[in-house]
Amino acid sequence: MRTAVLLLLSEEPMHGYQLMQTIDERTGGTWSVSPGAIYPTLSQLEDEGFVEMSKEGGRKLATLTDSGKTHVEENQASWSDPFAGEDDSFAQGALDLRSSLRDLTGAVREATRSGESQHMSQVAEVLTDSKRSIYRILAGDVPAAASGADGTGAESDESDPSSPSDASDTSSPSEQSEQSGEQTA
């Protein structure tokens, strides 16, 4: 965050909201910064003497001080570019996840509007199972067969007798992932 703010302010003075928008634009929406991240960063940089805040049209404008400009010039070569794009597959994957999350949020909203009480507990259980499954994926605790070699969640190794790929299995992918984890534990 700090590097991004310093680099942007080395281009031109900006308001906090402009910084948030510019970061979002330069990262193609994969990095959305909240006021709760940007303003404390600006405050810290001001305390360090790298940024100066001034009022302009009722807003606070952040400008690099001479010390801040020197700091950027001396250190910029050693900083990684916070706006450098990941490979296209990563960026596309991040966009796909955001789209899936929006779709899921819509489904949960619909369940809270029109569902019955038994539906609420079922939806809560699905969300809890999904959260656990995501953390297990991040921890590398989900066997390749459970998550699918193609990333779709489809079982890929039908010859493995310990694989829960039985066509009659009606459990959800998250339940199958948990069952696979229990078998290997």
Side-chain angles (χ1 to χ4, degrees):
M1 171 65 62
R2 177 183 171 87
T3 301
V5 169
L6 286 168
L7 289 172
L8 290 175
L9 292 178
S10 71
E11 295 173 8
E12 66 179 295
M14 293 186 184
H15 303 284
Y17 183 72
Q18 287 174 293
L19 286 164
M20 289 184 282
Q21 279 186 312
T22 304
I23 290 170
D24 187 63
E25 289 168 6
R26 291 207 184 168
T27 61
T30 58
W31 186 16
S32 293
V33 180
S34 71
I38 204 79
Y39 291 108
T41 301
L42 285 171
S43 185
Q44 179 184 12
L45 291 170
E46 185 179 28
D47 289 346
E48 293 174 23
F50 294 145
V51 170
E52 168 179 87
M53 303 300 288
S54 61
K55 289 272 189 179
E56 182 185 276
R59 291 180 166 179
K60 288 186 176 181
L61 183 68
T63 307
L64 281 183
T65 61
D66 289 338
S67 177
K69 289 175 188 173
T70 301
H71 180 73
V72 171
E73 288 170 6
E74 291 175 352
N75 296 289
Q76 185 173 0
S78 66
W79 294 339
S80 60
D81 183 359
F83 309 113
E86 299 286 340
D87 64 33
D88 288 340
S89 63
F90 177 84
Q92 186 58 49
L95 291 174
D96 290 347
L97 285 175
R98 292 180 111 185
S99 176
S100 295
L101 185 57
R102 273 192 300 275
D103 293 346
L104 178 63
T105 301
V108 171
R109 272 195 201 112
E110 185 59 32
T112 59
R113 277 187 239 143
S114 60
E116 298 174 10
S117 62
Q118 71 185 30
H119 295 143
M120 299 308 139
S121 62
Q122 290 172 329
V123 168
E125 185 178 326
V126 167
L127 292 174
T128 300
D129 289 346
S130 297
K131 178 184 71 173
R132 279 191 203 115
S133 295
I134 290 168
Y135 280 123
R136 291 183 75 184
I137 289 167
L138 294 174
D141 193 25
V142 178
S147 63
D150 61 357
T152 62
E155 302 298 327
S156 58
D157 186 2
E158 294 180 21
S159 63
D160 181 1
S162 67
S163 175
S165 62
D166 182 352
S168 65
D169 187 358
T170 59
S171 59
S172 72
S174 62
E175 290 170 0
Q176 292 172 1
S177 294
E178 291 211 8
Q179 291 168 358
S180 296
E182 291 169 4
Q183 292 171 356
T184 60

